[in-house]
Structure formats: structure tokens, C-alpha cells
Amino acid sequence: MIALRTLGFSALWVLATSASASSFVATTDTLGGALMGTSDATSDATSSLRDDKIVLAARSDAASFIASQGAIRGVRLEAALRHIRQLTPGLAADDEQLAQAILSR
């Protein structure tokens, strides 16, 4: 009789813990998926400039521009600034801010 109770208790315990574990995994997967969706949406908004060839090519010119406090303005930087302003017409940033943004990408 004690063996039967022990076996019954063990079976119930295994079922209870597996249900909790699977619920935990399902909840974790759901939350993880939601967070990834949010993260992807945010990165999609900024990746267009980060992966842009014109902007990437202007990194060294942007570094020279920042280091010279605006005295050195390379051709690639000028092209990137024009390109960024065409893509985002309502952007209220000066050349130095855009050059720093190019460097931070």
C-alpha cells in the first residue's frame, strides 16, 4: 500500500513539474518572440542608414570632419550628408551631429 501511494505521488509530482516546465517554456518563448519583434522593428528603422553604402563610405571623412572641428569636409561626407537629408527631410540636425551619427554606426 505504501509503495502504491509513493508511486502515485511520484506520478503526480512528475506530471505537475512537467506541466509547469512546459508552461514556463511557452511563456518564455512568447515573451522572447514579442521582444524580438520589438527589437527588429527598432533596428529596421535605423538599419537603413547603418547599412547604407554611401554612409559607410563617409566614415573616415566624418572622422576628419569631427577631428578638425569642421575644417575638413570630404567629398564622401558631403555626399552622405546630402543623402541623409534627402532620406529624412524633417531631420533637424547640423553637419556635426550627422557626422557624429555616421561615426557611431
Side-chain angles (χ1 to χ4, degrees), residues 24-104:
F24 177 73
V25 169
T27 303
T28 304
D29 288 347
T30 302
L31 289 174
L35 289 174
M36 283 300 293
T38 303
S39 165
D40 289 345
T42 304
S43 66
D44 286 347
T46 58
S47 67
S48 61
L49 289 179
R50 180 179 42 216
D51 298 333
D52 194 303
K53 291 180 182 181
I54 296 172
V55 174
L56 288 174
R59 290 194 66 170
S60 62
D61 283 1
S64 298
F65 179 79
I66 297 296
S68 69
Q69 297 177 343
I72 300 173
R73 298 179 68 91
V75 176
R76 290 186 195 111
L77 176 63
E78 290 295 331
L81 294 176
R82 241 185 343 270
H83 179 68
I84 291 169
R85 289 200 171 99
Q86 286 174 353
L87 291 176
T88 54
L91 185 65
D94 62 10
D95 291 349
E96 183 178 352
Q97 291 169 329
L98 290 177
Q100 288 174 348
I102 291 169
L103 284 176
S104 69

